[in-house]
Amino acid sequence: MASFTPAAAGVDLMEVRYTEGELAAMTSPMSSSAASFAEYLYWAERKRAEEDADKTVIASQGWGRLIRYYRNRNDTEEKEKEDVPAVSEKSEKLDAEKNNSVAEFDEYVGMSEHDQELLTARRVLRQAGWATVFYLVTCDILGPFNAPFSIASIGMAPGICLYVLFGVVAFISGVMLHRIWLRLDSARYPITLYGDMCERTVGSWLKYLASFLQCVQLTINVGLICLTNGQSLSQIIAGPHGTGHLCFSVTVLIWALCGMVIGMIRGLGNFSILANASVWLNLMIIFINIGFAARTLPNYTAAFATSGLLPGPVMVSATIPGQPLFIQINGVFNMVFAYGGAMIFPEIMAEMRRPRDFVKGMAVAQLLIISVYLAYGITLYPLEGQFVQAQSYTGLSLYSGQTICNVIGIITGTIAAGLYGNIGLKVIYRLVVEQLLKGPGLMTFRGRIVWSLSVLLYWSVAFVLGSAIPSVGTLTGLLGAMGFFHFTYTFPPLMMLGLDMQIDAALEDEPFTTPGVTPRKIDTWYDFSRWKRGFLAGGRRRLIWKIVNLIFFLTALATAGMGLWATGTDLRRALKVGVATSLGCNSPVG
């Protein structure tokens, strides 16, 4: 499984880090109309210059901020006494910064008083340092429980190489996203969502495509939560002798119903503390799992139920095992889960006081993620071999160890249900109901009604997915192919290519001189001349990079298509050889 945090979900991190008042100031839309591409570059350049001149020491805060937030939410009087002076101090400091900015960078020129206040509020909230980036990105190490399964699918040596290769390429993609963000983000026209980058570099069609895939990804995620929690509950009910039984679809339905109840709560409140606690709980599962697996036999019952494997000696393959190609590819796309945090990189950078430091925090975080996933995978795979399970701790044969891990897993799964169900549905609500359908705002009375109906529909779809695809490995691979892979590997080179082409295509346009006035263009993207200039202009070095990004994009797109084929084929195999059936009562873990 992947991480159960807002980070992995690719959602608005500010919801768990700021109060409702701060969040409203940060996310409230400005009245200014959309700017031209040249103006995005103009204001971004000035914003970067301001950040480079800022020598303020940044003290990144992790648990301390969360604990203070928890206390403040439960002690209104203390909040009023302590927070108001702090906010006043922030405001005074930012007033001084604002005055300096007006003189040096003219960020506030032509803006209404309301927009100036919002811009100032955004500047106040950009306080995170590179250590905070590390803290947020490493949330992806929360649940590397599919790492042994991924390595077992393609062999020890190829598994290690591909984990490292995916990590290196994910880092390169992260650097691309960082460069794009630095060139286009400003306090006046901020980038806070992945879709903002898609729209400014390629066009609104990519923004809508990314938003659609994001919605699909979040929905499959909660379906995966229902499935894994259902498996854990099924094993607990079965007992040490496997005599207990409850219809598996019912166990999945139980967690869907729990999600519906939790989902009715619109505010996150104390979930932030629980989300961080789940880090340590999942690490506990890792150590317990390895300890029991080293002293017991694999779970042959679960292996037969999922893959039709009969009991036998543990076999470990150093090279690619003799399995069908689609099984190997499905294992590869299970690896993508380790690097699924790219969707929230723009949101993290939007919180940083000096965004140029982002790469430092991301590099350390990615290195830790690779280390944790590989260490767990290469330790457990030799212990269980071909019998390893996609949800690794369900492969324990000793009931006591299995139950301990399952109970802890259910706790972290319930936390995940609250987070994904709440934040994930908010993302879908804002993208679909508010932006596309122009529906009521989330905090209005009519919004409350639409939200409640959306919760029921959202978790109903999650139940159908979890019960209809009773294979964790297949559903995880499908999620990687449809969601995580595109945001980490497919879209970044396309957006980088779009950015470079727009910059070079504008070389012969009228220079940008006046904020708010779009420079005159000599042609449009409907003309072949602009496409030709955008691709060929800029010099030999830039042309080479454009070709590299184009090949990178096409290769990633083809790989994603192959992943969809493999996961679909593996799903048919899993339903054919496994004990569990779609919407049936047999458990996929025996």
Side-chain angles (χ1 to χ4, degrees):
M1 276 293 292
S3 57
F4 292 150
T5 62
V11 295
D12 196 347
L13 295 172
M14 294 180 292
E15 297 212 28
V16 294
R17 293 173 58 81
Y18 298 111
T19 65
E20 292 182 4
E22 290 175 319
L23 181 60
M26 176 70 99
T27 59
S28 178
M30 285 187 174
S31 59
S32 304
S33 58
S36 64
F37 182 78
E39 188 155 4
Y40 289 140
L41 296 176
Y42 175 84
W43 291 114
E45 182 180 357
R46 278 145 184 78
K47 182 60 181 175
R48 301 292 85 81
E50 178 189 356
E51 291 164 353
D52 293 340
D54 183 5
K55 304 301 180 183
T56 305
V57 178
I58 302 172
S60 296
Q61 302 178 58
W63 279 82
R65 167 121 194 179
L66 294 175
I67 292 173
R68 281 193 296 275
Y69 177 81
Y70 176 84
R71 289 175 177 171
N72 291 340
R73 292 283 291 178
N74 290 276
D75 193 343
T76 305
E77 294 182 0
E78 182 180 345
K79 181 177 186 302
E80 292 177 351
K81 292 178 181 179
E82 297 182 0
D83 287 359
V84 172
V87 172
S88 299
E89 184 179 344
K90 281 183 180 180
S91 300
E92 292 175 1
K93 180 179 178 182
L94 263 294
D95 284 341
E97 292 183 3
K98 173 180 173 180
N99 294 333
N100 293 335
S101 296
V102 170
E104 188 172 356
F105 302 103
D106 296 328
E107 281 187 320
Y108 295 83
V109 170
M111 298 177 63
S112 66
E113 183 178 350
H114 171 70
D115 285 351
Q116 290 185 31
E117 292 175 356
L118 293 180
L119 193 152
T120 302
R122 290 190 176 110
R123 290 159 56 90
V124 170
L125 296 178
R126 289 191 176 192
Q127 298 296 325
W130 74 268
T132 302
V133 175
F134 169 80
Y135 173 77
L136 292 172
V137 176
T138 48
C139 285
D140 283 329
I141 70 169
L142 267 174
F145 302 125
N146 65 342
F149 171 80
S150 300
I151 293 178
S153 299
I154 58 175
M156 183 71 80
I160 294 174
C161 292
L162 280 178
Y163 255 120
V164 174
L165 178 62
F166 272 127
V168 172
V169 177
F171 174 76
I172 294 173
S173 297
V175 172
M176 289 183 179
L177 294 174
H178 181 238
R179 284 191 59 192
I180 295 169
W181 193 92
L182 291 178
R183 293 301 302 270
L184 297 176
D185 169 83
S186 64
R188 191 180 183 109
Y189 300 107
I191 291 178
T192 58
L193 297 173
Y194 199 98
D196 296 338
M197 299 175 64
C198 294
E199 185 174 30
R200 296 184 189 184
T201 55
V202 180
S204 57
W205 68 267
L206 185 62
K207 175 184 178 180
Y208 292 131
L209 176 61
S211 299
F212 171 75
L213 291 177
Q214 187 177 12
C215 294
V216 171
Q217 174 179 311
L218 291 167
T219 305
I220 296 178
N221 247 330
V222 294
L224 191 56
I225 293 171
C226 292
L227 175 59
T228 53
N229 273 9
Q231 283 191 176
S232 296
L233 182 60
S234 177
Q235 281 192 324
I236 294 173
I237 293 174
H241 305 294
T243 55
H245 178 72
L246 177 65
C247 178
F248 182 71
S249 291
V250 174
T251 63
V252 176
L253 178 62
I254 289 173
W255 299 109
L257 294 174
C258 289
M260 291 179 184
V261 174
I262 297 174
M264 293 298 174
I265 305 172
R266 285 178 292 179
L268 286 176
N270 302 326
F271 271 121
S272 55
I273 300 295
L274 297 176
N276 286 274
S278 65
V279 175
W280 307 105
L281 292 175
N282 278 294
L283 289 175
M284 187 184 302
I285 293 177
I286 291 175
F287 295 123
I288 294 173
N289 189 7
I290 293 175
F292 276 96
R295 297 175 178 273
T296 60
L297 294 173
N299 189 338
Y300 298 121
T301 302
F304 177 77
T306 56
S307 305
L309 294 175
L310 297 174
V314 171
M315 293 184 292
V316 178
S317 177
T319 58
I320 299 176
Q323 298 188 98
L325 179 62
F326 64 85
I327 294 180
Q328 299 173 30
I329 296 176
N330 183 54
V332 169
F333 274 86
N334 270 257
M335 294 181 178
V336 175
F337 250 78
Y339 311 107
M343 193 194 307
I344 55 124
F345 285 177
E347 300 178 29
I348 295 176
M349 287 184 277
E351 292 194 43
M352 298 187 69
R353 189 177 183 92
R354 285 193 288 272
R356 292 192 191 275
D357 293 340
F358 170 81
V359 173
K360 186 195 307 183
M362 180 188 66
V364 179
Q366 294 283 35
L367 181 62
L368 180 60
I369 289 171
I370 294 175
S371 302
V372 170
Y373 273 74
L374 275 182
Y376 183 52
I378 64 178
T379 301
L380 193 61
Y381 172 48
L383 297 175
E384 297 186 349
Q386 73 275 27
F387 302 105
V388 71
Q389 296 296 297
Q391 187 74 355
S392 57
Y393 54 82
T394 61
L396 292 174
S397 58
L398 190 63
Y399 180 74
S400 57
Q402 183 189 102
T403 303
I404 292 173
C405 292
N406 278 327
V407 170
I408 300 175
I410 286 176
I411 294 173
T412 58
T414 304
I415 296 172
L419 287 170
Y420 274 135
N422 188 291
I423 307 177
L425 188 56
K426 281 182 179 176
V427 170
I428 295 176
Y429 188 94
R430 287 167 180 163
L431 291 174
V432 178
V433 178
E434 293 185 357
Q435 295 184 16
L436 293 180
L437 302 180
K438 308 300 180 183
L442 180 59
M443 303 310 294
T444 64
F445 176 74
R446 289 197 304 158
R448 167 82 264 187
I449 297 175
V450 175
W451 169 268
S452 300
L453 295 175
S454 301
V455 167
L456 299 178
L457 178 62
Y458 186 66
W459 284 97
S460 296
V461 173
F463 161 71
V464 172
L465 284 172
S467 185
I469 309 178
S471 172
V472 172
T474 302
L475 193 55
T476 303
L478 178 64
L479 180 56
M482 290 193 67
F484 289 134
F485 190 87
H486 292 296
F487 290 101
T488 304
Y489 302 105
T490 306
F491 293 151
L494 177 61
M495 289 192 290
M496 195 72 236
L497 177 63
L499 175 67
D500 289 340
M501 288 185 64
Q502 287 200 66
I503 291 175
D504 292 340
L507 292 176
E508 296 184 13
D509 292 341
E510 181 183 64
F512 179 84
T513 56
T514 307
V517 178
T518 302
R520 185 182 61 84
K521 299 179 180 180
I522 64 172
D523 50 15
T524 69
W525 290 108
Y526 292 103
D527 302 314
F528 176 74
S529 59
R530 194 167 188 85
W531 286 92
K532 180 181 178 180
R533 187 170 64 255
F535 195 80
L536 299 179
R540 182 178 180 182
R541 183 177 179 182
R542 287 180 65 81
L543 175 60
I544 292 175
W545 278 116
K546 290 171 191 174
I547 294 174
V548 169
N549 284 326
L550 179 61
I551 295 174
F552 186 176
F553 163 68
L554 294 176
T555 303
L557 190 63
T559 305
M562 189 163 53
L564 288 174
W565 163 78
T567 53
T569 306
D570 193 43
L571 172 60
R572 290 195 296 270
R573 179 201 66 87
L575 294 176
K576 182 178 180 180
V577 304
V579 172
T581 58
S582 292
L583 302 173
C585 282
N586 292 329
S587 173
V589 288

